[in-house]
CSV table of all heavy atoms in Angstrom, one decimal:
chain,number,residue,atom,x,y,z
W,1,GLY,N,26.9,-8.0,27.5
W,1,GLY,CA,27.8,-9.0,27.5
W,1,GLY,C,28.5,-9.5,28.7
W,1,GLY,O,28.7,-10.6,29.0
W,2,LYS,N,28.9,-8.3,29.4
W,2,LYS,CA,29.6,-8.7,30.8
W,2,LYS,C,28.6,-9.4,31.8
W,2,LYS,O,29.1,-10.3,32.3
W,2,LYS,CB,30.0,-7.3,31.4
W,2,LYS,CG,30.6,-7.4,32.7
W,2,LYS,CD,31.1,-5.9,33.2
W,2,LYS,CE,31.9,-6.1,34.5
W,2,LYS,NZ,32.3,-4.9,35.0
W,3,GLU,N,27.3,-9.0,31.8
W,3,GLU,CA,26.5,-9.7,32.8
W,3,GLU,C,26.2,-11.1,32.2
W,3,GLU,O,26.2,-12.0,33.0
W,3,GLU,CB,25.3,-8.8,32.9
W,3,GLU,CG,24.4,-9.4,33.9
W,3,GLU,CD,23.2,-8.4,34.2
W,3,GLU,OE1,23.1,-7.3,33.7
W,3,GLU,OE2,22.3,-8.8,35.1
W,4,ALA,N,26.0,-11.3,30.9
W,4,ALA,CA,25.8,-12.5,30.4
W,4,ALA,C,27.0,-13.5,30.6
W,4,ALA,O,26.8,-14.5,31.0
W,4,ALA,CB,25.4,-12.5,28.9
W,5,LEU,N,28.2,-13.0,30.3
W,5,LEU,CA,29.4,-13.8,30.6
W,5,LEU,C,29.6,-14.2,32.0
W,5,LEU,O,29.9,-15.4,32.3
W,5,LEU,CB,30.5,-13.0,29.9
W,5,LEU,CG,32.0,-14.0,30.1
W,5,LEU,CD1,31.9,-15.2,29.2
W,5,LEU,CD2,33.1,-13.0,29.5
W,6,GLY,N,29.3,-13.3,32.9
W,6,GLY,CA,29.4,-13.6,34.4
W,6,GLY,C,28.4,-14.6,34.9
W,6,GLY,O,28.8,-15.6,35.6
W,7,LEU,N,27.2,-14.6,34.3
W,7,LEU,CA,26.1,-15.6,34.6
W,7,LEU,C,26.5,-17.1,34.1
W,7,LEU,O,26.5,-18.0,34.8
W,7,LEU,CB,24.8,-15.3,34.1
W,7,LEU,CG,24.0,-14.1,34.6
W,7,LEU,CD1,22.8,-13.7,33.7
W,7,LEU,CD2,23.6,-14.6,36.1
W,8,LEU,N,27.1,-17.2,32.9
W,8,LEU,CA,27.5,-18.3,32.2
W,8,LEU,C,28.8,-18.9,32.8
W,8,LEU,O,28.9,-20.1,33.1
W,8,LEU,CB,27.7,-18.3,30.8
W,8,LEU,CG,27.7,-19.7,30.1
W,8,LEU,CD1,26.2,-20.4,30.4
W,8,LEU,CD2,27.7,-19.4,28.5
W,9,ILE,N,29.8,-18.0,33.4
W,9,ILE,CA,30.9,-18.6,34.0
W,9,ILE,C,30.5,-19.1,35.4
W,9,ILE,O,30.8,-20.3,35.5
W,9,ILE,CB,31.9,-17.5,34.2
W,9,ILE,CG1,32.6,-17.0,32.9
W,9,ILE,CG2,33.0,-17.8,35.2
W,9,ILE,CD1,33.3,-15.7,32.9
W,10,ASP,N,29.6,-18.5,36.1
W,10,ASP,CA,29.1,-19.0,37.3
W,10,ASP,C,28.4,-20.4,37.1
W,10,ASP,O,28.5,-21.2,38.0
W,10,ASP,CB,28.2,-17.9,38.0
W,10,ASP,CG,27.7,-18.5,39.3
W,10,ASP,OD1,28.6,-18.5,40.3
W,10,ASP,OD2,26.4,-18.8,39.5
W,11,TYR,N,27.6,-20.3,36.2
W,11,TYR,CA,26.9,-21.7,35.9
W,11,TYR,C,27.8,-22.8,35.5
W,11,TYR,O,27.8,-23.9,36.0
W,11,TYR,CB,25.9,-21.4,34.7
W,11,TYR,CG,25.1,-22.7,34.3
W,11,TYR,CD1,24.1,-23.1,35.0
W,11,TYR,CD2,25.4,-23.3,33.1
W,11,TYR,CE1,23.4,-24.2,34.6
W,11,TYR,CE2,24.8,-24.6,32.8
W,11,TYR,CZ,23.8,-25.0,33.5
W,11,TYR,OH,23.1,-26.0,33.1
W,12,ALA,N,28.8,-22.5,34.7
W,12,ALA,CA,29.7,-23.5,34.3
W,12,ALA,C,30.6,-24.0,35.4
W,12,ALA,O,30.8,-25.2,35.6
W,12,ALA,CB,30.8,-23.0,33.1
W,13,PHE,N,31.1,-23.1,36.3
W,13,PHE,CA,31.9,-23.5,37.4
W,13,PHE,C,31.2,-24.2,38.7
W,13,PHE,O,31.7,-25.2,39.2
W,13,PHE,CB,32.7,-22.3,37.8
W,13,PHE,CG,34.0,-22.1,37.0
W,13,PHE,CD1,34.4,-20.7,36.9
W,13,PHE,CD2,34.5,-22.9,36.1
W,13,PHE,CE1,35.5,-20.5,36.1
W,13,PHE,CE2,35.4,-22.6,35.2
W,13,PHE,CZ,36.0,-21.3,35.3
W,14,HIS,N,30.0,-23.6,39.0
W,14,HIS,CA,29.3,-24.1,40.1
W,14,HIS,C,28.2,-25.1,39.7
W,14,HIS,O,28.0,-25.9,40.7
W,14,HIS,CB,28.7,-22.8,40.8
W,14,HIS,CG,29.8,-21.9,41.4
W,14,HIS,ND1,30.1,-20.7,40.7
W,14,HIS,CD2,30.7,-22.1,42.2
W,14,HIS,CE1,31.1,-20.2,41.3
W,14,HIS,NE2,31.6,-21.0,42.3
W,15,ARG,N,27.5,-25.0,38.7
W,15,ARG,CA,26.4,-25.9,38.4
W,15,ARG,C,27.0,-27.2,37.7
W,15,ARG,O,26.7,-28.3,37.9
W,15,ARG,CB,25.3,-25.4,37.6
W,15,ARG,CG,24.5,-24.4,38.4
W,15,ARG,CD,23.4,-24.7,39.2
W,15,ARG,NE,22.1,-24.9,38.6
W,15,ARG,CZ,21.4,-23.9,38.1
W,15,ARG,NH1,21.9,-22.8,37.7
W,15,ARG,NH2,20.2,-24.1,37.7
W,16,LEU,N,27.9,-27.0,36.6
W,16,LEU,CA,28.4,-28.0,35.7
W,16,LEU,C,29.8,-28.5,36.4
W,16,LEU,O,30.2,-29.5,35.9
W,16,LEU,CB,28.7,-27.5,34.4
W,16,LEU,CG,27.4,-27.1,33.6
W,16,LEU,CD1,27.8,-26.5,32.2
W,16,LEU,CD2,26.4,-28.2,33.4
W,17,GLN,N,30.3,-27.9,37.4
W,17,GLN,CA,31.5,-28.2,38.0
W,17,GLN,C,32.7,-28.3,37.2
W,17,GLN,O,33.6,-29.2,37.2
W,17,GLN,CB,31.3,-29.6,38.7
W,17,GLN,CG,30.3,-29.7,39.7
W,17,GLN,CD,30.5,-28.7,40.9
W,17,GLN,OE1,31.6,-28.8,41.6
W,17,GLN,NE2,29.6,-27.9,41.3
W,18,LEU,N,32.7,-27.5,36.1
W,18,LEU,CA,34.0,-27.4,35.2
W,18,LEU,C,35.0,-26.8,35.9
W,18,LEU,O,35.1,-26.0,36.8
W,18,LEU,CB,33.6,-26.5,34.0
W,18,LEU,CG,32.4,-27.0,33.1
W,18,LEU,CD1,32.4,-26.1,31.8
W,18,LEU,CD2,32.7,-28.5,32.7
W,19,HIS,N,36.4,-27.2,35.4
W,19,HIS,CA,37.6,-26.8,36.0
W,19,HIS,C,38.0,-25.6,35.3
W,19,HIS,O,38.8,-24.8,35.8
W,19,HIS,CB,38.6,-28.0,36.0
W,19,HIS,CG,40.0,-27.6,36.4
W,19,HIS,ND1,40.3,-27.2,37.7
W,19,HIS,CD2,41.0,-27.6,35.7
W,19,HIS,CE1,41.6,-26.9,37.7
W,19,HIS,NE2,42.1,-27.1,36.4
W,20,GLN,N,37.7,-25.6,33.9
W,20,GLN,CA,38.3,-24.5,33.1
W,20,GLN,C,37.4,-24.3,31.9
W,20,GLN,O,36.6,-25.1,31.4
W,20,GLN,CB,39.7,-24.9,32.6
W,20,GLN,CG,39.8,-26.1,31.8
W,20,GLN,CD,41.3,-26.3,31.4
W,20,GLN,OE1,41.8,-25.5,30.5
W,20,GLN,NE2,41.8,-27.3,31.8
W,21,LEU,N,37.5,-23.0,31.5
W,21,LEU,CA,36.9,-22.4,30.3
W,21,LEU,C,37.9,-21.8,29.4
W,21,LEU,O,39.0,-21.3,29.7
W,21,LEU,CB,35.8,-21.3,30.6
W,21,LEU,CG,34.6,-21.8,31.4
W,21,LEU,CD1,33.8,-20.6,31.9
W,21,LEU,CD2,33.7,-22.7,30.7
W,22,TYR,N,37.6,-21.9,28.0
W,22,TYR,CA,38.6,-21.2,27.2
W,22,TYR,C,37.8,-20.4,26.2
W,22,TYR,O,36.6,-20.7,25.8
W,22,TYR,CB,39.6,-22.2,26.4
W,22,TYR,CG,38.9,-23.2,25.6
W,22,TYR,CD1,38.8,-22.9,24.2
W,22,TYR,CD2,38.5,-24.4,26.0
W,22,TYR,CE1,38.2,-23.8,23.3
W,22,TYR,CE2,37.8,-25.3,25.2
W,22,TYR,CZ,37.7,-24.9,23.9
W,22,TYR,OH,37.1,-25.8,22.9
W,23,ALA,N,38.4,-19.4,25.4
W,23,ALA,CA,37.9,-18.6,24.5
W,23,ALA,C,38.9,-18.4,23.3
W,23,ALA,O,40.1,-18.1,23.7
W,23,ALA,CB,37.4,-17.2,25.0
W,24,ASN,N,38.5,-18.5,22.0
W,24,ASN,CA,39.3,-18.2,21.0
W,24,ASN,C,39.0,-16.9,20.4
W,24,ASN,O,37.8,-16.6,20.2
W,24,ASN,CB,39.1,-19.2,19.8
W,24,ASN,CG,39.6,-20.7,20.3
W,24,ASN,OD1,40.7,-20.9,20.6
W,24,ASN,ND2,38.6,-21.5,20.1
W,25,ILE,N,39.9,-15.8,20.5
W,25,ILE,CA,39.6,-14.5,20.2
W,25,ILE,C,40.6,-13.9,19.2
W,25,ILE,O,41.8,-14.0,19.5
W,25,ILE,CB,39.6,-13.5,21.5
W,25,ILE,CG1,38.7,-14.1,22.5
W,25,ILE,CG2,39.3,-12.2,21.0
W,25,ILE,CD1,38.7,-13.4,23.8
W,26,ASP,N,40.1,-13.4,18.0
W,26,ASP,CA,41.0,-12.7,17.2
W,26,ASP,C,41.9,-11.6,17.9
W,26,ASP,O,41.3,-10.8,18.7
W,26,ASP,CB,40.0,-11.9,16.1
W,26,ASP,CG,40.9,-11.2,15.1
W,26,ASP,OD1,41.8,-10.3,15.4
W,26,ASP,OD2,40.7,-11.5,13.9
W,27,THR,N,43.1,-11.6,17.7
W,27,THR,CA,44.1,-10.7,18.5
W,27,THR,C,43.6,-9.2,18.1
W,27,THR,O,44.1,-8.3,19.0
W,27,THR,CB,45.4,-10.9,18.1
W,27,THR,OG1,45.7,-10.7,16.7
W,27,THR,CG2,45.9,-12.3,18.6
W,28,GLY,N,42.8,-8.9,17.2
W,28,GLY,CA,42.5,-7.4,16.9
W,28,GLY,C,41.1,-7.1,17.4
W,28,GLY,O,40.7,-6.0,17.4
W,29,ASN,N,40.5,-8.0,18.1
W,29,ASN,CA,39.2,-7.8,18.8
W,29,ASN,C,39.4,-7.3,20.2
W,29,ASN,O,39.2,-8.1,21.1
W,29,ASN,CB,38.3,-9.2,18.7
W,29,ASN,CG,36.9,-8.9,19.0
W,29,ASN,OD1,36.5,-7.9,19.7
W,29,ASN,ND2,36.1,-9.7,18.6
W,30,VAL,N,39.6,-6.1,20.2
W,30,VAL,CA,39.9,-5.4,21.7
W,30,VAL,C,38.7,-5.6,22.6
W,30,VAL,O,39.0,-5.9,23.8
W,30,VAL,CB,40.4,-4.0,21.5
W,30,VAL,CG1,40.6,-3.4,22.8
W,30,VAL,CG2,41.6,-4.0,20.6
């Protein structure tokens, strides 16, 4: 998951030129 998330963040910021990403996470999902 760590490697996949890193790859997609890089793609989003550098290829898609996004300014921000967000995630909705259950407060109990440590």
Side-chain angles (χ1 to χ4, degrees):
K2 182 178 181 180
E3 192 170 352
L5 186 57
L7 288 169
L8 198 57
I9 289 170
D10 184 67
Y11 177 80
F13 286 156
H14 298 105
R15 295 269 270 310
L16 296 176
Q17 301 296 308
L18 294 184
H19 174 64
Q20 62 181 289
L21 294 168
Y22 68 88
N24 299 301
I25 305 173
D26 182 298
T27 56
N29 189 339
V30 176

